[in-house]
Amino acid sequence: MAKRSFKSSVFPTILTYLGLTIGLVFSAFPIVWMFFSSLKSNTEIFALPPRLFPHDFTVAAYLTIFNDPVKVRFFINSYFVAGVVTCLTLVVAIVTAYGFSRYQFRFKNTLNIFIISTQTVPPITLLIPYFGMVVAFRIFDTYLALILTYMVFTLPYAILLMTGYLNTLPKELDEAVLVDGGSSWTALWRVIVPVSIPGIVATAVYTFLLAWNEFLFALTLTKSMDLRTVPIGIQLLMGQHAFEWNEMMAMSVLGSLPLLVLYLVAQRYFLAGMTAGSVKS
């Protein structure tokens, strides 16, 4: 009996760890390959048979990127656009989510359905209409075009995420401020926002990731090199007759580092914010 109980408890554990190990290797191997490829020469990348570790380690690809003002500009553009989109999305999402969480008003359910339905539309189907609007408003090839377009895609999920988090906070927090003579605006920014840091961080990380990695609209709504972002910069390294694979890998590594650091720094808040909305609706 004890032997059977031991097997029934050990085997599921072994299978679980085995599955996690396989998943880890499957997901981490491309990243490891990308990193070591960035430390190879372009010639060695095409060597047969391919090898994971470089024969001669070199940082030439990184030096080429740092010494090229155009490539450095790609990173500046991505930081600026993603940062502005994140800040504006947070402000709008917090205010909107507070209204959905704390007030009852006409067409509330209709608006909720509309916000959710926007997430079901494939972005590529909106490319031509957005391009026409951007040209009509004369903001083509500007930061404003990218920022406004990205916010259209980041706001719905940000509002849903923040609403789910604010629903977990007791309404007594707001009522205490109102009893003391404060306004709803005061309750939001002085009380609700400080205790909603996990939800805000989770929303910020998601928004930044989406804006940083976006490729299709950045390619369509800009044409000058001064406004291109990192994903476009990586694509531009694929020439007609030659691919700069080592520079592509190096730029991919550099582009991934800010996201990795952001997640590691905010991991505790991010996980708390992502799971809080599922506790209470």
Side-chain angles (χ1 to χ4, degrees):
M1 187 71 178
K3 185 176 181 181
R4 181 177 301 178
S5 176
F6 175 76
K7 289 182 177 179
S8 63
S9 61
V10 172
F11 285 164
T13 304
I14 294 176
L15 291 176
T16 299
Y17 280 104
L18 179 62
L20 291 174
T21 302
I22 294 174
L24 176 62
V25 172
F26 186 80
S27 59
F29 182 76
I31 300 175
V32 175
W33 187 279
M34 176 182 70
F35 173 72
F36 284 113
S37 295
S38 70
L39 299 175
K40 300 177 182 178
S41 64
N42 209 39
T43 303
E44 188 177 355
I45 289 179
F46 288 96
L48 291 176
R51 49 187 299 169
L52 175 61
F53 299 103
H55 184 269
D56 295 313
F57 284 86
T58 175
V59 294
Y62 291 95
L63 295 178
T64 301
I65 293 173
F66 289 131
N67 292 327
D68 189 340
V70 176
K71 294 183 175 67
V72 173
R73 182 74 183 183
F74 295 152
F75 288 92
I76 296 175
N77 292 336
S78 287
Y79 278 120
F80 177 77
V81 173
V84 172
V85 169
T86 300
C87 292
L88 293 179
T89 298
L90 283 178
V91 172
V92 177
I94 289 172
V95 175
T96 306
Y98 185 73
F100 278 118
S101 176
R102 293 302 194 258
Y103 297 100
Q104 295 295 330
F105 51 89
R106 193 177 182 184
F107 302 122
K108 177 180 178 179
N109 292 332
T110 304
L111 286 174
N112 267 319
I113 294 174
F114 175 76
I115 292 174
I116 295 174
S117 65
T118 59
Q119 300 293 287
T120 65
V121 180
I124 194 172
T125 62
L126 304 175
L127 183 62
I128 295 178
Y130 270 109
F131 179 79
M133 290 177 58
V134 166
V135 172
F137 285 112
R138 299 181 179 180
I139 57 174
F140 176 73
D141 199 31
T142 63
Y143 287 123
L144 183 61
L146 292 179
I147 292 171
L148 292 178
T149 302
Y150 289 177
M151 288 186 64
V152 170
F153 298 107
T154 58
L155 265 177
Y157 187 81
I159 292 173
L160 294 174
L161 189 60
M162 284 304 305
T163 301
Y165 189 86
L166 294 185
N167 285 339
T168 66
L169 302 180
K171 294 185 178 181
E172 286 77 11
L173 294 174
D174 312 61
E175 295 171 356
V177 176
L178 298 178
V179 169
D180 291 338
S183 63
S184 298
W185 193 257
T186 303
L188 171 61
W189 295 108
R190 296 289 183 88
V191 178
I192 301 300
V193 168
V195 299
S196 302
I197 295 300
I200 294 174
V201 170
T203 305
V205 170
Y206 163 80
T207 303
F208 190 89
L209 289 176
L210 189 62
W212 179 273
N213 290 320
E214 205 285 321
F215 173 83
L216 183 62
F217 285 89
L219 178 64
T220 306
L221 302 181
T222 61
K223 66 177 182 179
S224 64
M225 298 298 288
D226 290 338
L227 292 173
R228 297 296 197 184
T229 56
V230 171
I232 308 301
I234 296 175
Q235 186 269 339
L236 291 175
L237 292 173
M238 296 186 292
Q240 182 177 0
H241 302 290
F243 284 24
E244 299 295 338
W245 283 107
N246 57 344
E247 292 185 31
M248 290 171 59
M249 297 300 177
M251 188 171 287
S252 299
V253 171
L254 294 174
S256 303
L257 282 178
L259 310 182
L260 179 61
V261 172
L262 179 64
Y263 178 78
L264 291 177
V265 171
Q267 182 179 15
R268 178 166 59 92
Y269 296 106
F270 180 75
L271 295 177
M274 290 295 292
T275 57
S278 62
V279 177
K280 177 182 177 181
S281 59

